[in-house]
């Protein structure tokens, strides 16, 4: 009996040990982040609760990993920060994938001047020194873009605003991939058949070309989640990303540098969390790439 | 070939012009323009005064018009004054640019010096234990947050072992002779250069490994082996010379990433370079300085890309460009 593409993929994926372990780690981290409110209830404390008398306390039953420079529970802040980092990473990577897919599809299918203009734009964005530009983008005052004051000052906005900031510079890889594949797909017989049947450009791009591009897009997006989490953490570390009182791994390290002589543990945990999450995303992306493309084997 | 260079040069100029406009617009969107800052610093200023000042400095005109004025001034070499330093922007930037070039050149050189042998080792037998170990180490390197690596290095070498200074470029207030001063500068460079190198080794190693594996499959490698050359000579002379070329070009294309790494490194180690200057200027609302710094960084990145493209076309005669 012939295998369906799905079971074939699963069978290939099962051979990728590093990828499977990574997927398990990411699932655990996501579940732990979602369980943060439960842990808060169990321990009877709040992640944002400041306790100035119990600052930088060593680990104890009440605070399994101790407290930070404001007496907040480190474990809870790590869990909360993980939820924020993973959510922001996924959202920004998805947003970037959508922008990149749209630009790549249009450029590849239309060709000609549209293609040239869009690809020059892509080259321009790739050529930008990423971090300085992100710093300026993150420092932009949203009120000057005409957004209402109340929205800008709400707590949710401080979490969400980093998503478009990162997506605006992160779409180029997907755009190039999608364009290249669209170029080769648009002259294939099934696309010509669809054109002959009178399908419009939008229908051909979305129904005939896009489904054939899902695996490279998925791989590129998985790989970009790790990169996005790194960018979010460095922006938050520099004070331009997730704003307190919300927790984020990068922001937890902001004060750690000054306290590194007195409380080195505060500098170690959040960074280790970022490192493990990003390496898991990268290994998972790599495993997916191998599973989708049997020609690209590690051993030639 | 000349046609290709001219074409690419014009294209880069167009991208620079476009990006300068984008950057100018973005800087204008940062919180508080210079007049707002004057108003908040001086309670005696009325809103009429503010409006008058805005008119005086042309801040009430449309964005495109202001950009035109600024671009004309910039092209004639007038980048304005830095608010925080009270000096012309150019004289603030020049010494820091030199510091950044030192840091980036050393970091890049060290990363490449480590990536070359490691990449060759991995490519020699793909799939071997050594290759898989290198592969995993590369994944770790790519996933390492630069600022955290810097923190850990500070924790180990400056705080615990007290071996190396954690910040700055030289011991402040020390009057040292030439050689002692140079040694002092060198010890201050060790941690920043190590940080910048470590985060870039992985990328270069992966490029080199891929290029080496491809090169080792070429006919001339088989010829070299068949005529009985020792394997080390085949690897290090015949293969590496051909494989290293695309790697050097790709690393020039990655110049922007190297600069981003330098920005974090400089900020972490309080090293007075361009990256830290841009970051401080953006945070401190030093508009002229932020604008000039960003523009310079973009310009240099684009020039590195252009140089990489041209070098590639020039070095590989098989590539024909129209």
């Amino acid at each position: 009996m012939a295998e369906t593409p799905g079971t074939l993929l699963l069978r290939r994926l099962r051979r990728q040990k590093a990828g499977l372990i990574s997927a398990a780690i990411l699932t655990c981290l996501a579940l732990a982040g979602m369980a943060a409110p439960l842990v808060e209830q169990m321990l009877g404390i709040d992640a944002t609760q400041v306790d100035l008398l119990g600052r930088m306390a060593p680990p104890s039953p009440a605070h399994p990993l101790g407290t930070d420079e404001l007496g907040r529970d480190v474990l809870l802040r790590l869990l909360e920060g993980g939820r924020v980092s993973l959510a922001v990473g996924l959202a920004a990577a998805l947003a970037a994938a959508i922008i990149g897919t749209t630009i790549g599809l249009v450029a590849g299918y239309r060709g000609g001047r549209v293609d040239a203009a869009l690809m020059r734009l892509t080259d321009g964005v790739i050529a930008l020194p990423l971090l300085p530009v992100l710093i300026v983008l993150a420092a932009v005052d949203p009120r000057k873009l005409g957004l209402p004051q109340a929205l800008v000052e709400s707590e949710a906005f401080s979490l969400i605003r980093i998503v478009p900031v990162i997506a605006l510079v992160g779409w180029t890889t997907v755009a190039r991939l999608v364009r290249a594949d669209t170029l080769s797909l648009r002259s294939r017989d099934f696309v010509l058949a669809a054109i002959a049947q009178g399908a419009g450009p939008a229908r051909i791009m979305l129904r005939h070309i896009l489904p054939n591009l899902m695996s490279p897009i998925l791989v590129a997006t998985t790989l970009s989640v790790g990169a996005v989490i790194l960018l979010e953490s460095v922006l938050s570390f520099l004070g331009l990303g997730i704003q307190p009182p919300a927790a984020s791994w990068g922001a937890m390290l902001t004060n750690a540098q000054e306290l590194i002589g007195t409380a080195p543990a505060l500098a170690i945990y959040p960074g280790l969390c970022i490192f493990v999450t990003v390496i898991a995303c990268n290994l998972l992306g790599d495993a997916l790439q191998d599973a989708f493309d049997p020609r690209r084997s590690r051993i030639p | 070939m000349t046609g290709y260079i001219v074409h690419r040069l014009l294209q880069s100029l167009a991208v620079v012009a476009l990006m300068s406009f984008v950057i100018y617009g973005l800087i204008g969107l940062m919180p508080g323009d210079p007049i707002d800052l004057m108003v908040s610093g001086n309670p005696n200023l009325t809103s009429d005064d503010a409006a008058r000042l805005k008119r005086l400095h042309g801040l009430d005109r449309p964005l495109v018009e202001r950009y035109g004025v600024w671009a004309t001034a910039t092209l004639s070499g007038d980048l304005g004054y830095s608010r925080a330093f009270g000096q012309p922007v150019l004289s603030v930037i020049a010494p820091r640019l030199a510091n950044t070039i030192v840091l980036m050149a050393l970091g890049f050189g060290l990363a490449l010096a480590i990536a070359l042998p490691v990449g060759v080792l991995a490519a020699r037998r793909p799939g071997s234990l050594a290759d898989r170990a290198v592969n995993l180490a590369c994944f770790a390197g790519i996933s390492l947050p630069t600022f955290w690596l810097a923190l850990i290095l500070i924790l180990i070498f400056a705080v615990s072992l007290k071996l190396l200074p954690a910040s700055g470029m030289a011991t402040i207030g020390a009057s040292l002779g030439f050689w002692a001063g140079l040694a002092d500068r060198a010890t201050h460079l060790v941690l920043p250069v190590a940080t910048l190198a470590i985060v870039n080794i992985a990328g270069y190693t992966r490029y080199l490994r891929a290029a080496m594996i491809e090169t080792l499959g070429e006919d001339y490698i088989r010829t070299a082996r068949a005529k009985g050359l020792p394997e080390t000579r085949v690897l290090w002379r015949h293969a590496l010379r051909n494989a290293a070329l695309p790697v050097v070009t790709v690393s020039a294309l990655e110049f922007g990433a190297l600069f981003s790494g330098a920005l974090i490194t400089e900020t972490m180690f309080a090293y007075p370079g361009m990256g830290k200057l841009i970051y401080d200027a953006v945070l401190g609302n030093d508009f002229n300085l932020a604008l000039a710094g960003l523009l310079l960084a973009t310009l240099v990145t684009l020039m590195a890309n252009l140089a990489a493209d041209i070098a590639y076309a020039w070095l590989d005669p098989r590539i024909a460009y129209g």
Side-chain angles (χ1 to χ4, degrees):
Chain A
M1 204 177 84
E3 273 183 308
T4 66
T7 54
L8 183 69
L9 182 68
L10 274 180
R11 192 165 57 81
R12 287 208 201 110
L13 209 49
R14 239 178 276 145
R15 284 204 298 251
Q16 308 274 349
K17 257 184 245 149
L20 283 182
I21 297 171
S22 304
I25 291 176
L26 286 176
T27 315
C28 289
L29 281 167
L31 287 177
M34 283 189 278
L38 277 176
V39 181
E40 280 186 333
Q41 271 185 354
M42 240 166 59
L43 292 172
I45 36 174
D46 193 274
T48 54
Q49 189 184 315
V50 173
D51 175 11
L52 292 177
L53 293 174
R55 294 165 61 213
M56 294 191 274
S60 64
H63 303 287
L65 289 179
T67 59
D68 67 2
E69 71 279 6
L70 290 177
R72 295 170 297 195
D73 185 77
V74 171
L75 177 66
L76 275 180
R77 288 193 76 72
L78 282 178
L79 293 178
E80 287 280 343
R83 189 170 57 170
V84 169
S85 286
L86 282 173
V88 167
L90 276 176
L94 270 180
I98 292 171
I99 300 176
T101 306
T102 313
I103 288 181
L105 266 180
V106 172
Y109 190 71
R110 286 275 169 201
R113 283 214 186 134
V114 179
D115 180 32
L118 285 176
M119 283 305 110
R120 288 299 82 72
L121 177 72
T122 314
D123 290 346
V125 174
I126 290 175
L128 288 176
L130 188 60
L131 198 57
V133 171
L134 272 175
I135 287 174
V136 175
L137 273 177
V140 162
D141 185 355
R143 274 166 299 182
K144 291 201 176 178
L145 288 171
L147 294 174
Q149 180 105 18
L151 174 72
V152 170
E153 279 167 8
S154 66
E155 199 181 316
F157 188 78
S158 107
L159 293 182
I160 295 169
R161 67 169 289 173
I162 189 129
V163 172
V165 166
I166 293 179
L168 269 178
V169 290
W171 51 267
T172 50
T173 316
V174 172
R176 284 191 153 183
L177 268 176
V178 169
R179 172 186 173 265
D181 283 357
T182 307
L183 273 179
S184 79
L185 282 173
R186 73 168 179 187
S187 52
R188 295 267 284 273
D189 286 343
F190 67 92
V191 172
L192 298 180
I195 296 174
Q197 284 178 343
R203 190 180 163 81
I204 289 172
M205 279 191 261
L206 294 177
R207 293 297 297 271
H208 297 274
I209 293 180
L210 187 58
N212 286 296
L213 296 175
M214 284 328 273
S215 47
I217 294 175
L218 184 67
V219 169
T221 308
T222 313
L223 286 170
S224 77
V225 172
V228 166
I229 290 178
L230 274 184
L231 287 178
E232 179 271 316
S233 73
V234 71
L235 283 178
S236 298
F237 172 76
L238 293 173
L240 292 161
I242 312 289
Q243 301 295 328
S248 110
W249 288 334
M252 286 175 79
L253 287 165
T254 308
N255 295 323
Q257 189 170 11
E258 289 143 41
L259 301 167
I260 199 155
T262 42
L266 291 182
I268 293 175
Y269 296 133
L272 210 54
C273 288
I274 301 171
F275 178 56
V276 169
T277 310
V278 175
I279 199 172
C281 288
N282 285 336
L283 287 171
L284 180 63
D286 190 58
L288 278 176
Q289 197 160 20
D290 279 352
F292 275 124
D293 185 1
R295 279 166 303 177
R296 180 194 175 273
S297 164
R298 194 79 50 78
I299 302 149
Chain B
M1 188 62 207
T2 319
Y4 172 69
I5 294 178
V6 171
H7 181 74
R8 282 290 283 117
L9 208 60
L10 288 176
Q11 217 171 52
S12 298
L13 277 179
V15 175
V16 168
L18 181 70
M19 285 305 145
S20 73
F21 182 69
V22 171
I23 291 170
Y24 187 85
L26 278 176
I27 296 278
L29 286 172
M30 291 199 324
D33 59 38
I35 308 297
D36 288 345
L37 291 170
M38 270 188 226
V39 172
S40 62
N42 182 351
N44 293 326
L45 275 179
T46 63
S47 56
D48 279 350
D49 292 334
R52 196 169 48 77
L53 277 170
K54 277 197 178 178
R55 229 180 4 261
L56 184 70
H57 292 287
L59 284 168
D60 55 342
R61 303 229 204 95
L63 178 67
V64 180
E65 211 173 301
R66 275 184 287 147
Y67 171 75
V69 172
W70 171 80
T72 320
T74 302
L75 285 178
S76 65
D78 175 16
L79 287 163
Y81 268 76
S82 152
R83 217 171 60 81
F85 290 87
Q87 282 174 16
V89 163
L90 274 180
S91 56
V92 176
I93 285 182
R96 285 167 180 80
L97 187 62
N99 292 343
T100 293
I101 291 173
V102 170
L103 174 67
M104 284 176 67
L106 288 175
F108 176 73
L110 183 62
L112 214 54
I114 296 174
L116 284 183
V118 174
V120 171
L121 181 79
R124 205 170 56 171
R125 254 178 284 136
S128 67
L129 197 63
D131 181 35
R132 276 185 289 170
V134 168
N135 187 46
L136 199 64
C138 283
F139 269 103
I142 292 168
S143 314
L144 206 55
T146 312
F147 63 100
W148 186 59
L149 174 68
L151 269 181
I152 297 300
L153 289 180
I154 291 174
L155 183 61
I156 297 174
F157 293 102
V159 178
S160 299
L161 300 176
K162 299 198 184 353
L163 275 178
L164 293 161
S167 71
M169 220 175 67
T171 311
I172 296 166
S175 60
L176 300 160
F178 176 76
W179 291 110
L182 204 64
D184 182 52
R185 231 198 115 185
T187 54
H188 280 83
L189 269 170
V190 173
L191 287 185
V193 168
T195 306
L196 191 57
I198 291 173
V199 291
N200 283 297
I201 292 171
Y204 302 152
T205 305
R206 277 168 38 125
Y207 291 132
L208 187 76
R209 177 186 174 274
M212 273 297 276
I213 288 178
E214 204 187 311
T215 311
L216 285 174
E218 298 281 348
D219 287 343
Y220 58 82
I221 296 294
R222 199 173 43 197
T223 309
R225 281 180 177 149
K227 73 178 183 184
L229 282 185
E231 183 66 15
T232 44
R233 197 177 161 83
V234 174
L235 276 178
W236 295 97
R237 293 293 291 261
H238 292 242
L240 182 61
R241 280 194 177 187
N242 288 288
L245 253 174
V247 177
V248 173
T249 348
V250 169
S251 46
L253 288 174
E254 300 257 297
F255 184 85
L258 188 66
F259 186 77
S260 296
L263 188 152
I264 306 173
T265 310
E266 288 168 7
T267 310
M268 295 304 296
F269 292 100
Y271 182 90
M274 278 302 292
K276 184 166 161 45
L277 189 71
I278 293 176
Y279 171 62
D280 290 343
V282 170
L283 284 202
N285 287 321
D286 197 338
F287 294 93
N288 285 338
L289 192 57
L291 204 49
L294 266 172
L295 206 64
L296 186 67
T298 313
L299 196 67
V300 174
T301 313
L302 276 167
M303 269 166 27
N305 288 3
L306 184 67
D309 278 359
I310 292 174
Y312 203 75
W314 184 57
L315 291 168
D316 195 337
R318 284 169 302 183
I319 300 173
Y321 288 93

